[in-house]
Amino acid sequence: MSKKPAIRPLGDRVLVLPKEEKEVTRGGIIIPDTAKEKPMEGTVIAVGVKRDKDGKEMPFDVKPGDTVLLPKYGGTEIKLDDEVYQIVRSEDLLGILG
């Protein structure tokens, strides 16, 4: 990825660039697209503005550059500048790696 995409998540959402899975196993077997699992890790690219019920801004648990665990299902995939990103609610992220 050469530049930050021109999108800013709204509310408590996070823009994540999923980690690409390897297409060949250690034994040299090529895995077809239909058999691949969804990526479970990704890099946070941008965060929205999280607010409490009174409208006061709240800090996020993650920041751009963090590597996070993504839910297997959920979020919304979008394609920008030939990259596929995922927008998920911050509460749906499973953890921070590292």
Side-chain angles (χ1 to χ4, degrees):
M1 185 178 75
S2 59
K3 63 177 186 162
K4 186 176 175 180
I7 186 168
R8 182 176 54 102
L10 296 176
D12 67 343
R13 291 175 182 83
V14 178
L15 179 68
V16 178
L17 179 61
K19 180 179 175 186
E20 291 185 27
E21 288 193 12
K22 296 179 182 175
E23 296 181 10
V24 179
T25 65
R26 282 188 232 170
I29 299 170
I30 297 174
I31 302 170
D33 288 339
T34 55
K36 291 181 189 173
E37 294 248 345
K38 251 181 133 174
M40 294 296 292
E41 291 180 26
T43 303
V44 175
I45 304 300
V47 296
V49 178
K50 191 164 140 180
R51 298 189 184 276
D52 65 12
K53 63 182 180 180
D54 297 323
K56 183 179 175 189
E57 192 172 324
M58 297 173 47
F60 270 87
D61 294 328
V62 297
K63 62 186 178 314
D66 284 348
T67 301
V68 294
L69 289 174
L70 297 164
K72 188 169 183 176
Y73 302 103
T76 302
E77 284 188 359
I78 58 170
K79 187 173 182 178
L80 298 167
D81 302 326
D82 297 326
E83 291 277 4
V84 177
Y85 297 90
Q86 194 167 3
I87 295 179
V88 295
R89 290 194 172 275
S90 63
E91 63 191 31
D92 292 339
L93 294 175
L94 304 173
I96 302 171
L97 298 174

